[in-house]
Amino acid sequence: MPDFNPTQYAVPLFVVAVLAEMIWAKLRAPEAYEPKDTLVSLAFGLGSTVAGALLGGFALAMFIAAYEYRIFDFGPEWWAVWWAWPVCFVLDDLKYYWVHRAGHRIRWMWASHVNHHSSQHYNLSTALRQTWTGMFTFGFLFALPLVLLGFHPVMIAICGGFNLIYQFWIHTEAIDRMPRWFEAVMNTPSHHRVHHATNPRYLDTNYAGVFIVWDKMFGTFTPEVEDEKIRYGIVKQLGSFNLLWAVFHEWIGMLTDIWRAPWKHKLSYLLREPGWSHDGSRETSDMIRARWEARTRQAKGDTADLPPVSVADRNAIAGSAEAA
């Protein structure tokens, strides 16, 4: 069984790349880096590594147990089955798309994933903002079908490591656009800038890890436009460089909402999308985007109906527009 962790070998390259981008930023875009923000990002990366070392064994043990019930068997020397590696990599990336999408659409999972989006800057150090609490969302269970198909947990872990390495370089503003053929298939800095944006047109789009084709297949792709400056971060910005608040603020907010909510709505604050509220006092990303689309169409003189939304959402959108 191979004992190989690709991310360990990539760390020196990460450091060199961050330093190179810092030099570029000093010469071309001084606002790209903020010292306190960068320190928080680095602390996130360190804490995530520690959390993974402490808690990752639980997922591995579960996958090893599940592997005994696999449908297909690649044999005792599974690592030598060359064609299984690219297949595993592609399927693992498809798995990443869905777990990432769930991380934006289910508040329980967003409480963990929001860590990665909490910076108002977009640079290579932002890629290091990895969660400390991912194990508590059980997002790793999305990989269980791959184990049952016969891919060894170590193979999945190695493919996941290369996936993470790929995603590092797309967290930058130093690269504008890649060649058109590359942009059509692969996730790129342009595509991922959209994902990190808080602009209404961009909210909850471009979930891809390596292959942007998943977003195009499942209707979540949005291209970057040239005439609108991207605003990074989260809809309700942290407003603080406190590391512990950055790590746990959404967990605290979610648990507070559950505690205060009527009994019939408590589970919804756990499982519904971020921003949902039982009294319509807040906005989800869908509501924010629908309100933006309504204003955009009104400005263009287009009175066509908006895409279907629930009655509660329509009322909340109307109330927000009146308040504005």
Side-chain angles (χ1 to χ4, degrees), residues 188-232:
T188 65
S190 176
H191 297 327
H192 205 58
R193 285 193 289 269
V194 166
H195 179 69
H196 276 257
T198 62
N199 309 51
R201 73 161 72 234
Y202 293 144
L203 290 175
D204 285 348
T205 56
N206 295 11
Y207 298 111
V210 174
F211 301 111
I212 199 63
V213 292
W214 308 128
D215 285 286
K216 295 180 178 182
M217 286 175 60
F218 299 115
T220 53
F221 175 71
T222 297
E224 182 180 18
V225 298
E226 300 290 347
D227 58 350
E228 182 174 343
K229 181 177 176 59
I230 289 181
R231 302 183 299 275
Y232 299 108

mmCIF file of all heavy atoms in Angstrom, residues 188-232:
data_model
loop_
_atom_site.group_PDB
_atom_site.id
_atom_site.type_symbol
_atom_site.label_atom_id
_atom_site.label_comp_id
_atom_site.label_asym_id
_atom_site.label_seq_id
_atom_site.Cartn_x
_atom_site.Cartn_y
_atom_site.Cartn_z
ATOM 1 N N THR A 188 -10.575 27.766 -13.361
ATOM 2 C CA THR A 188 -9.495 28.735 -13.554
ATOM 3 C C THR A 188 -9.627 29.872 -12.546
ATOM 4 O O THR A 188 -10.664 29.999 -11.872
ATOM 5 C CB THR A 188 -9.550 29.329 -14.973
ATOM 6 O OG1 THR A 188 -10.765 30.090 -15.097
ATOM 7 C CG2 THR A 188 -9.512 28.242 -16.039
ATOM 8 N N PRO A 189 -8.617 30.728 -12.432
ATOM 9 C CA PRO A 189 -8.751 31.895 -11.546
ATOM 10 C C PRO A 189 -9.985 32.730 -11.855
ATOM 11 O O PRO A 189 -10.662 33.206 -10.939
ATOM 12 C CB PRO A 189 -7.456 32.666 -11.813
ATOM 13 C CG PRO A 189 -6.458 31.604 -12.146
ATOM 14 C CD PRO A 189 -7.235 30.607 -12.948
ATOM 15 N N SER A 190 -10.301 32.917 -13.124
ATOM 16 C CA SER A 190 -11.475 33.698 -13.491
ATOM 17 C C SER A 190 -12.752 33.048 -12.964
ATOM 18 O O SER A 190 -13.612 33.706 -12.357
ATOM 19 C CB SER A 190 -11.561 33.857 -15.015
ATOM 20 O OG SER A 190 -12.741 34.538 -15.392
ATOM 21 N N HIS A 191 -12.895 31.750 -13.198
ATOM 22 C CA HIS A 191 -14.091 31.045 -12.725
ATOM 23 C C HIS A 191 -14.186 31.071 -11.203
ATOM 24 O O HIS A 191 -15.272 31.231 -10.643
ATOM 25 C CB HIS A 191 -14.075 29.594 -13.208
ATOM 26 C CG HIS A 191 -14.116 29.435 -14.690
ATOM 27 N ND1 HIS A 191 -14.783 30.314 -15.516
ATOM 28 C CD2 HIS A 191 -13.585 28.481 -15.502
ATOM 29 C CE1 HIS A 191 -14.671 29.917 -16.772
ATOM 30 N NE2 HIS A 191 -13.941 28.807 -16.791
ATOM 31 N N HIS A 192 -13.056 30.903 -10.537
ATOM 32 C CA HIS A 192 -13.101 30.791 -9.078
ATOM 33 C C HIS A 192 -13.229 32.154 -8.400
ATOM 34 O O HIS A 192 -13.724 32.240 -7.283
ATOM 35 C CB HIS A 192 -11.864 30.047 -8.561
ATOM 36 C CG HIS A 192 -12.105 29.370 -7.239
ATOM 37 N ND1 HIS A 192 -13.104 28.437 -7.060
ATOM 38 C CD2 HIS A 192 -11.494 29.513 -6.032
ATOM 39 C CE1 HIS A 192 -13.083 28.011 -5.809
ATOM 40 N NE2 HIS A 192 -12.132 28.657 -5.157
ATOM 41 N N ARG A 193 -12.781 33.210 -9.061
ATOM 42 C CA ARG A 193 -13.047 34.557 -8.533
ATOM 43 C C ARG A 193 -14.556 34.773 -8.417
ATOM 44 O O ARG A 193 -15.036 35.373 -7.448
ATOM 45 C CB ARG A 193 -12.412 35.617 -9.434
ATOM 46 C CG ARG A 193 -10.907 35.740 -9.296
ATOM 47 C CD ARG A 193 -10.383 36.998 -9.958
ATOM 48 N NE ARG A 193 -10.449 36.949 -11.417
ATOM 49 C CZ ARG A 193 -9.473 36.507 -12.200
ATOM 50 N NH1 ARG A 193 -8.349 36.053 -11.663
ATOM 51 N NH2 ARG A 193 -9.594 36.524 -13.519
ATOM 52 N N VAL A 194 -15.273 34.297 -9.408
ATOM 53 C CA VAL A 194 -16.731 34.390 -9.379
ATOM 54 C C VAL A 194 -17.279 33.677 -8.148
ATOM 55 O O VAL A 194 -18.172 34.178 -7.456
ATOM 56 C CB VAL A 194 -17.327 33.781 -10.671
ATOM 57 C CG1 VAL A 194 -18.819 33.543 -10.526
ATOM 58 C CG2 VAL A 194 -17.042 34.686 -11.859
ATOM 59 N N HIS A 195 -16.747 32.503 -7.869
ATOM 60 C CA HIS A 195 -17.237 31.717 -6.735
ATOM 61 C C HIS A 195 -17.034 32.435 -5.406
ATOM 62 O O HIS A 195 -17.840 32.289 -4.486
ATOM 63 C CB HIS A 195 -16.542 30.353 -6.696
ATOM 64 C CG HIS A 195 -16.972 29.503 -5.547
ATOM 65 N ND1 HIS A 195 -18.235 28.966 -5.455
ATOM 66 C CD2 HIS A 195 -16.311 29.123 -4.417
ATOM 67 C CE1 HIS A 195 -18.335 28.281 -4.325
ATOM 68 N NE2 HIS A 195 -17.181 28.366 -3.686
ATOM 69 N N HIS A 196 -15.964 33.197 -5.293
ATOM 70 C CA HIS A 196 -15.663 33.896 -4.041
ATOM 71 C C HIS A 196 -16.305 35.277 -3.951
ATOM 72 O O HIS A 196 -16.109 35.981 -2.969
ATOM 73 C CB HIS A 196 -14.141 34.036 -3.863
ATOM 74 C CG HIS A 196 -13.500 32.831 -3.255
ATOM 75 N ND1 HIS A 196 -13.114 32.779 -1.940
ATOM 76 C CD2 HIS A 196 -13.185 31.622 -3.780
ATOM 77 C CE1 HIS A 196 -12.583 31.606 -1.679
ATOM 78 N NE2 HIS A 196 -12.620 30.871 -2.787
ATOM 79 N N ALA A 197 -17.067 35.650 -4.966
ATOM 80 C CA ALA A 197 -17.651 36.989 -5.005
ATOM 81 C C ALA A 197 -18.939 37.072 -4.190
ATOM 82 O O ALA A 197 -19.654 36.083 -4.016
ATOM 83 C CB ALA A 197 -17.948 37.387 -6.453
ATOM 84 N N THR A 198 -19.222 38.283 -3.687
ATOM 85 C CA THR A 198 -20.492 38.540 -3.013
ATOM 86 C C THR A 198 -21.452 39.343 -3.897
ATOM 87 O O THR A 198 -22.556 39.661 -3.458
ATOM 88 C CB THR A 198 -20.272 39.303 -1.691
ATOM 89 O OG1 THR A 198 -19.676 40.583 -1.976
ATOM 90 C CG2 THR A 198 -19.374 38.521 -0.746
ATOM 91 N N ASN A 199 -21.044 39.689 -5.100
ATOM 92 C CA ASN A 199 -21.949 40.367 -6.034
ATOM 93 C C ASN A 199 -23.172 39.478 -6.262
ATOM 94 O O ASN A 199 -23.021 38.265 -6.460
ATOM 95 C CB ASN A 199 -21.255 40.608 -7.366
ATOM 96 C CG ASN A 199 -19.905 41.272 -7.224
ATOM 97 O OD1 ASN A 199 -19.058 40.820 -6.460
ATOM 98 N ND2 ASN A 199 -19.682 42.329 -7.972
ATOM 99 N N PRO A 200 -24.370 40.049 -6.255
ATOM 100 C CA PRO A 200 -25.585 39.231 -6.409
ATOM 101 C C PRO A 200 -25.569 38.311 -7.622
ATOM 102 O O PRO A 200 -26.031 37.165 -7.541
ATOM 103 C CB PRO A 200 -26.695 40.279 -6.517
ATOM 104 C CG PRO A 200 -26.189 41.432 -5.709
ATOM 105 C CD PRO A 200 -24.702 41.466 -5.979
ATOM 106 N N ARG A 201 -25.048 38.770 -8.760
ATOM 107 C CA ARG A 201 -25.051 37.951 -9.974
ATOM 108 C C ARG A 201 -24.210 36.687 -9.813
ATOM 109 O O ARG A 201 -24.394 35.707 -10.547
ATOM 110 C CB ARG A 201 -24.557 38.756 -11.175
ATOM 111 C CG ARG A 201 -23.074 39.022 -11.174
ATOM 112 C CD ARG A 201 -22.549 39.404 -12.565
ATOM 113 N NE ARG A 201 -22.960 40.741 -12.964
ATOM 114 C CZ ARG A 201 -23.587 40.998 -14.107
ATOM 115 N NH1 ARG A 201 -23.869 40.014 -14.927
ATOM 116 N NH2 ARG A 201 -23.914 42.237 -14.419
ATOM 117 N N TYR A 202 -23.276 36.696 -8.875
ATOM 118 C CA TYR A 202 -22.332 35.595 -8.746
ATOM 119 C C TYR A 202 -22.635 34.629 -7.603
ATOM 120 O O TYR A 202 -22.000 33.574 -7.501
ATOM 121 C CB TYR A 202 -20.927 36.149 -8.519
ATOM 122 C CG TYR A 202 -20.324 36.907 -9.681
ATOM 123 C CD1 TYR A 202 -19.520 38.016 -9.451
ATOM 124 C CD2 TYR A 202 -20.541 36.503 -10.992
ATOM 125 C CE1 TYR A 202 -18.942 38.718 -10.510
ATOM 126 C CE2 TYR A 202 -19.975 37.189 -12.051
ATOM 127 C CZ TYR A 202 -19.172 38.303 -11.809
ATOM 128 O OH TYR A 202 -18.610 38.984 -12.851
ATOM 129 N N LEU A 203 -23.543 34.965 -6.712
ATOM 130 C CA LEU A 203 -23.744 34.179 -5.495
ATOM 131 C C LEU A 203 -24.069 32.713 -5.800
ATOM 132 O O LEU A 203 -24.893 32.407 -6.657
ATOM 133 C CB LEU A 203 -24.857 34.789 -4.647
ATOM 134 C CG LEU A 203 -24.542 36.122 -3.967
ATOM 135 C CD1 LEU A 203 -25.785 36.651 -3.256
ATOM 136 C CD2 LEU A 203 -23.382 35.984 -2.975
ATOM 137 N N ASP A 204 -23.379 31.823 -5.075
ATOM 138 C CA ASP A 204 -23.624 30.381 -5.160
ATOM 139 C C ASP A 204 -23.524 29.844 -6.579
ATOM 140 O O ASP A 204 -24.445 29.178 -7.091
ATOM 141 C CB ASP A 204 -24.988 30.035 -4.557
ATOM 142 C CG ASP A 204 -24.974 30.099 -3.039
ATOM 143 O OD1 ASP A 204 -23.881 30.177 -2.465
ATOM 144 O OD2 ASP A 204 -26.059 30.081 -2.436
ATOM 145 N N THR A 205 -22.410 30.125 -7.221
ATOM 146 C CA THR A 205 -22.139 29.576 -8.551
ATOM 147 C C THR A 205 -20.699 29.069 -8.597
ATOM 148 O O THR A 205 -19.896 29.326 -7.692
ATOM 149 C CB THR A 205 -22.339 30.636 -9.656
ATOM 150 O OG1 THR A 205 -21.510 31.777 -9.377
ATOM 151 C CG2 THR A 205 -23.793 31.095 -9.721
ATOM 152 N N ASN A 206 -20.373 28.327 -9.646
ATOM 153 C CA ASN A 206 -19.011 27.840 -9.912
ATOM 154 C C ASN A 206 -18.433 27.062 -8.734
ATOM 155 O O ASN A 206 -17.431 27.429 -8.136
ATOM 156 C CB ASN A 206 -18.102 29.013 -10.287
ATOM 157 C CG ASN A 206 -18.509 29.668 -11.576
ATOM 158 O OD1 ASN A 206 -19.581 29.398 -12.120
ATOM 159 N ND2 ASN A 206 -17.675 30.560 -12.091
ATOM 160 N N TYR A 207 -19.069 25.934 -8.434
ATOM 161 C CA TYR A 207 -18.646 25.088 -7.310
ATOM 162 C C TYR A 207 -17.490 24.158 -7.665
ATOM 163 O O TYR A 207 -17.004 23.421 -6.809
ATOM 164 C CB TYR A 207 -19.810 24.216 -6.846
ATOM 165 C CG TYR A 207 -21.010 24.971 -6.333
ATOM 166 C CD1 TYR A 207 -22.212 24.971 -7.047
ATOM 167 C CD2 TYR A 207 -20.970 25.656 -5.126
ATOM 168 C CE1 TYR A 207 -23.329 25.636 -6.569
ATOM 169 C CE2 TYR A 207 -22.084 26.322 -4.638
ATOM 170 C CZ TYR A 207 -23.258 26.309 -5.364
ATOM 171 O OH TYR A 207 -24.363 26.965 -4.890
ATOM 172 N N ALA A 208 -17.051 24.154 -8.892
ATOM 173 C CA ALA A 208 -16.088 23.159 -9.368
ATOM 174 C C ALA A 208 -14.793 23.152 -8.561
ATOM 175 O O ALA A 208 -14.390 24.164 -7.978
ATOM 176 C CB ALA A 208 -15.762 23.417 -10.831
ATOM 177 N N GLY A 209 -14.169 21.978 -8.555
ATOM 178 C CA GLY A 209 -12.835 21.854 -7.989
ATOM 179 C C GLY A 209 -11.801 21.962 -9.099
ATOM 180 O O GLY A 209 -11.072 22.937 -9.202
ATOM 181 N N VAL A 210 -11.761 20.979 -9.971
ATOM 182 C CA VAL A 210 -10.806 20.943 -11.079
ATOM 183 C C VAL A 210 -11.507 21.183 -12.416
ATOM 184 O O VAL A 210 -11.058 21.984 -13.223
ATOM 185 C CB VAL A 210 -10.047 19.604 -11.109
ATOM 186 C CG1 VAL A 210 -9.161 19.517 -12.361
ATOM 187 C CG2 VAL A 210 -9.205 19.433 -9.854
ATOM 188 N N PHE A 211 -12.634 20.498 -12.645
ATOM 189 C CA PHE A 211 -13.309 20.558 -13.949
ATOM 190 C C PHE A 211 -14.558 21.434 -13.863
ATOM 191 O O PHE A 211 -15.520 21.090 -13.174
ATOM 192 C CB PHE A 211 -13.695 19.155 -14.413
ATOM 193 C CG PHE A 211 -12.523 18.221 -14.548
ATOM 194 C CD1 PHE A 211 -12.366 17.154 -13.675
ATOM 195 C CD2 PHE A 211 -11.578 18.418 -15.540
ATOM 196 C CE1 PHE A 211 -11.293 16.287 -13.793
ATOM 197 C CE2 PHE A 211 -10.489 17.554 -15.669
ATOM 198 C CZ PHE A 211 -10.345 16.493 -14.794
ATOM 199 N N ILE A 212 -14.548 22.559 -14.573
ATOM 200 C CA ILE A 212 -15.685 23.482 -14.557
ATOM 201 C C ILE A 212 -16.882 22.886 -15.292
ATOM 202 O O ILE A 212 -18.014 23.416 -15.176
ATOM 203 C CB ILE A 212 -15.288 24.841 -15.186
ATOM 204 C CG1 ILE A 212 -16.276 25.963 -14.770
ATOM 205 C CG2 ILE A 212 -15.188 24.721 -16.701
ATOM 206 C CD1 ILE A 212 -16.307 26.263 -13.313
ATOM 207 N N VAL A 213 -16.676 21.806 -15.998
ATOM 208 C CA VAL A 213 -17.767 21.191 -16.757
ATOM 209 C C VAL A 213 -18.916 20.755 -15.856
ATOM 210 O O VAL A 213 -20.076 20.708 -16.303
ATOM 211 C CB VAL A 213 -17.273 19.990 -17.589
ATOM 212 C CG1 VAL A 213 -16.359 20.447 -18.710
ATOM 213 C CG2 VAL A 213 -16.576 18.971 -16.705
ATOM 214 N N TRP A 214 -18.628 20.437 -14.594
ATOM 215 C CA TRP A 214 -19.715 20.036 -13.691
ATOM 216 C C TRP A 214 -20.711 21.178 -13.527
ATOM 217 O O TRP A 214 -21.926 20.952 -13.533
ATOM 218 C CB TRP A 214 -19.178 19.610 -12.333
ATOM 219 C CG TRP A 214 -18.098 18.585 -12.358
ATOM 220 C CD1 TRP A 214 -16.879 18.644 -11.734
ATOM 221 C CD2 TRP A 214 -18.116 17.314 -13.031
ATOM 222 N NE1 TRP A 214 -16.138 17.512 -11.974
ATOM 223 C CE2 TRP A 214 -16.869 16.679 -12.771
ATOM 224 C CE3 TRP A 214 -19.054 16.658 -13.830
ATOM 225 C CZ2 TRP A 214 -16.560 15.422 -13.273
ATOM 226 C CZ3 TRP A 214 -18.740 15.400 -14.329
ATOM 227 C CH2 TRP A 214 -17.511 14.802 -14.055
ATOM 228 N N ASP A 215 -20.221 22.396 -13.350
ATOM 229 C CA ASP A 215 -21.123 23.545 -13.211
ATOM 230 C C ASP A 215 -21.938 23.761 -14.477
ATOM 231 O O ASP A 215 -23.125 24.114 -14.410
ATOM 232 C CB ASP A 215 -20.321 24.807 -12.891
ATOM 233 C CG ASP A 215 -19.839 24.831 -11.455
ATOM 234 O OD1 ASP A 215 -20.670 25.059 -10.567
ATOM 235 O OD2 ASP A 215 -18.636 24.606 -11.229
ATOM 236 N N LYS A 216 -21.325 23.550 -15.613
ATOM 237 C CA LYS A 216 -22.045 23.720 -16.872
ATOM 238 C C LYS A 216 -23.091 22.622 -17.062
ATOM 239 O O LYS A 216 -24.162 22.864 -17.612
ATOM 240 C CB LYS A 216 -21.054 23.740 -18.029
ATOM 241 C CG LYS A 216 -20.117 24.949 -17.986
ATOM 242 C CD LYS A 216 -19.144 24.960 -19.146
ATOM 243 C CE LYS A 216 -18.263 26.208 -19.103
ATOM 244 N NZ LYS A 216 -17.322 26.279 -20.238
ATOM 245 N N MET A 217 -22.789 21.434 -16.579
ATOM 246 C CA MET A 217 -23.727 20.326 -16.692
ATOM 247 C C MET A 217 -24.932 20.503 -15.768
ATOM 248 O O MET A 217 -26.073 20.187 -16.140
ATOM 249 C CB MET A 217 -23.025 19.002 -16.356
ATOM 250 C CG MET A 217 -22.079 18.493 -17.418
ATOM 251 S SD MET A 217 -21.181 17.007 -16.870
ATOM 252 C CE MET A 217 -22.542 15.879 -16.544
ATOM 253 N N PHE A 218 -24.694 21.036 -14.572
ATOM 254 C CA PHE A 218 -25.745 21.082 -13.550
ATOM 255 C C PHE A 218 -26.312 22.491 -13.334
ATOM 256 O O PHE A 218 -27.001 22.738 -12.354
ATOM 257 C CB PHE A 218 -25.218 20.508 -12.237
ATOM 258 C CG PHE A 218 -24.782 19.071 -12.341
ATOM 259 C CD1 PHE A 218 -23.445 18.716 -12.151
ATOM 260 C CD2 PHE A 218 -25.695 18.078 -12.649
ATOM 261 C CE1 PHE A 218 -23.038 17.396 -12.251
ATOM 262 C CE2 PHE A 218 -25.291 16.754 -12.758
ATOM 263 C CZ PHE A 218 -23.963 16.404 -12.559
ATOM 264 N N GLY A 219 -26.014 23.411 -14.263
ATOM 265 C CA GLY A 219 -26.670 24.702 -14.273
ATOM 266 C C GLY A 219 -26.229 25.684 -13.218
ATOM 267 O O GLY A 219 -27.006 26.570 -12.837
ATOM 268 N N THR A 220 -24.981 25.585 -12.760
ATOM 269 C CA THR A 220 -24.500 26.511 -11.734
ATOM 270 C C THR A 220 -23.315 27.351 -12.206
ATOM 271 O O THR A 220 -22.617 27.950 -11.394
ATOM 272 C CB THR A 220 -24.092 25.743 -10.458
ATOM 273 O OG1 THR A 220 -23.160 24.703 -10.804
ATOM 274 C CG2 THR A 220 -25.307 25.128 -9.777
ATOM 275 N N PHE A 221 -23.109 27.401 -13.507
ATOM 276 C CA PHE A 221 -21.967 28.159 -14.037
ATOM 277 C C PHE A 221 -22.348 29.606 -14.328
ATOM 278 O O PHE A 221 -23.406 29.886 -14.887
ATOM 279 C CB PHE A 221 -21.442 27.522 -15.323
ATOM 280 C CG PHE A 221 -20.355 28.331 -15.982
ATOM 281 C CD1 PHE A 221 -19.091 28.407 -15.417
ATOM 282 C CD2 PHE A 221 -20.608 29.033 -17.158
ATOM 283 C CE1 PHE A 221 -18.088 29.163 -16.012
ATOM 284 C CE2 PHE A 221 -19.619 29.786 -17.762
ATOM 285 C CZ PHE A 221 -18.352 29.853 -17.188
ATOM 286 N N THR A 222 -21.469 30.525 -13.926
ATOM 287 C CA THR A 222 -21.607 31.937 -14.265
ATOM 288 C C THR A 222 -20.229 32.461 -14.663
ATOM 289 O O THR A 222 -19.273 32.312 -13.905
ATOM 290 C CB THR A 222 -22.136 32.754 -13.076
ATOM 291 O OG1 THR A 222 -23.451 32.305 -12.745
ATOM 292 C CG2 THR A 222 -22.201 34.239 -13.411
ATOM 293 N N PRO A 223 -20.100 33.101 -15.826
ATOM 294 C CA PRO A 223 -18.796 33.629 -16.240
ATOM 295 C C PRO A 223 -18.494 34.957 -15.560
ATOM 296 O O PRO A 223 -19.417 35.682 -15.141
ATOM 297 C CB PRO A 223 -18.972 33.813 -17.751
ATOM 298 C CG PRO A 223 -20.438 34.089 -17.904
ATOM 299 C CD PRO A 223 -21.132 33.257 -16.872
ATOM 300 N N GLU A 224 -17.243 35.271 -15.458
ATOM 301 C CA GLU A 224 -16.821 36.564 -14.928
ATOM 302 C C GLU A 224 -17.063 37.632 -15.992
ATOM 303 O O GLU A 224 -16.746 37.430 -17.167
ATOM 304 C CB GLU A 224 -15.333 36.513 -14.569
ATOM 305 C CG GLU A 224 -14.793 37.793 -13.957
ATOM 306 C CD GLU A 224 -13.316 37.685 -13.614
ATOM 307 O OE1 GLU A 224 -12.632 36.775 -14.147
ATOM 308 O OE2 GLU A 224 -12.827 38.501 -12.814
ATOM 309 N N VAL A 225 -17.644 38.752 -15.602
ATOM 310 C CA VAL A 225 -17.888 39.845 -16.544
ATOM 311 C C VAL A 225 -16.848 40.941 -16.307
ATOM 312 O O VAL A 225 -16.354 41.123 -15.196
ATOM 313 C CB VAL A 225 -19.309 40.419 -16.401
ATOM 314 C CG1 VAL A 225 -20.346 39.355 -16.719
ATOM 315 C CG2 VAL A 225 -19.544 40.965 -14.994
ATOM 316 N N GLU A 226 -16.540 41.648 -17.380
ATOM 317 C CA GLU A 226 -15.456 42.624 -17.316
ATOM 318 C C GLU A 226 -15.880 43.950 -16.670
ATOM 319 O O GLU A 226 -15.057 44.661 -16.111
ATOM 320 C CB GLU A 226 -14.931 42.907 -18.736
ATOM 321 C CG GLU A 226 -14.378 41.688 -19.451
ATOM 322 C CD GLU A 226 -13.075 41.187 -18.851
ATOM 323 O OE1 GLU A 226 -12.471 41.928 -18.042
ATOM 324 O OE2 GLU A 226 -12.667 40.064 -19.187
ATOM 325 N N ASP A 227 -17.163 44.278 -16.748
ATOM 326 C CA ASP A 227 -17.592 45.620 -16.347
ATOM 327 C C ASP A 227 -18.140 45.702 -14.924
ATOM 328 O O ASP A 227 -18.807 46.664 -14.565
ATOM 329 C CB ASP A 227 -18.657 46.141 -17.323
ATOM 330 C CG ASP A 227 -19.870 45.227 -17.393
ATOM 331 O OD1 ASP A 227 -19.810 44.112 -16.830
ATOM 332 O OD2 ASP A 227 -20.878 45.627 -18.008
ATOM 333 N N GLU A 228 -17.881 44.698 -14.094
ATOM 334 C CA GLU A 228 -18.332 44.734 -12.703
ATOM 335 C C GLU A 228 -17.218 44.258 -11.780
ATOM 336 O O GLU A 228 -16.787 43.108 -11.860
ATOM 337 C CB GLU A 228 -19.578 43.870 -12.506
ATOM 338 C CG GLU A 228 -20.121 43.926 -11.081
ATOM 339 C CD GLU A 228 -21.444 43.186 -10.940
ATOM 340 O OE1 GLU A 228 -22.094 42.922 -11.972
ATOM 341 O OE2 GLU A 228 -21.833 42.871 -9.802
ATOM 342 N N LYS A 229 -16.762 45.110 -10.921
ATOM 343 C CA LYS A 229 -15.683 44.773 -10.000
ATOM 344 C C LYS A 229 -16.177 43.759 -8.974
ATOM 345 O O LYS A 229 -17.262 43.904 -8.407
ATOM 346 C CB LYS A 229 -15.180 46.024 -9.283
ATOM 347 C CG LYS A 229 -14.023 45.764 -8.306
ATOM 348 C CD LYS A 229 -13.540 47.059 -7.695
ATOM 349 C CE LYS A 229 -12.460 46.815 -6.633
ATOM 350 N NZ LYS A 229 -11.285 46.101 -7.202
ATOM 351 N N ILE A 230 -15.386 42.750 -8.742
ATOM 352 C CA ILE A 230 -15.767 41.705 -7.802
ATOM 353 C C ILE A 230 -15.525 42.172 -6.365
ATOM 354 O O ILE A 230 -14.479 42.735 -6.045
ATOM 355 C CB ILE A 230 -14.983 40.407 -8.079
ATOM 356 C CG1 ILE A 230 -15.470 39.777 -9.388
ATOM 357 C CG2 ILE A 230 -15.159 39.420 -6.932
ATOM 358 C CD1 ILE A 230 -14.783 38.479 -9.744
ATOM 359 N N ARG A 231 -16.501 41.903 -5.505
ATOM 360 C CA ARG A 231 -16.373 42.143 -4.070
ATOM 361 C C ARG A 231 -16.273 40.783 -3.398
ATOM 362 O O ARG A 231 -17.165 39.939 -3.544
ATOM 363 C CB ARG A 231 -17.573 42.937 -3.535
ATOM 364 C CG ARG A 231 -17.765 44.281 -4.232
ATOM 365 C CD ARG A 231 -18.923 45.063 -3.619
ATOM 366 N NE ARG A 231 -20.188 44.349 -3.755
ATOM 367 C CZ ARG A 231 -20.965 44.407 -4.818
ATOM 368 N NH1 ARG A 231 -20.589 45.139 -5.874
ATOM 369 N NH2 ARG A 231 -22.113 43.737 -4.867
ATOM 370 N N TYR A 232 -15.211 40.581 -2.643
ATOM 371 C CA TYR A 232 -14.954 39.274 -2.052
ATOM 372 C C TYR A 232 -15.434 39.208 -0.602
ATOM 373 O O TYR A 232 -15.683 40.221 0.040
ATOM 374 C CB TYR A 232 -13.456 38.960 -2.107
ATOM 375 C CG TYR A 232 -12.897 38.902 -3.500
ATOM 376 C CD1 TYR A 232 -12.066 39.911 -3.989
ATOM 377 C CD2 TYR A 232 -13.213 37.841 -4.353
ATOM 378 C CE1 TYR A 232 -11.558 39.867 -5.277
ATOM 379 C CE2 TYR A 232 -12.698 37.783 -5.639
ATOM 380 C CZ TYR A 232 -11.874 38.802 -6.098
ATOM 381 O OH TYR A 232 -11.376 38.753 -7.370
#
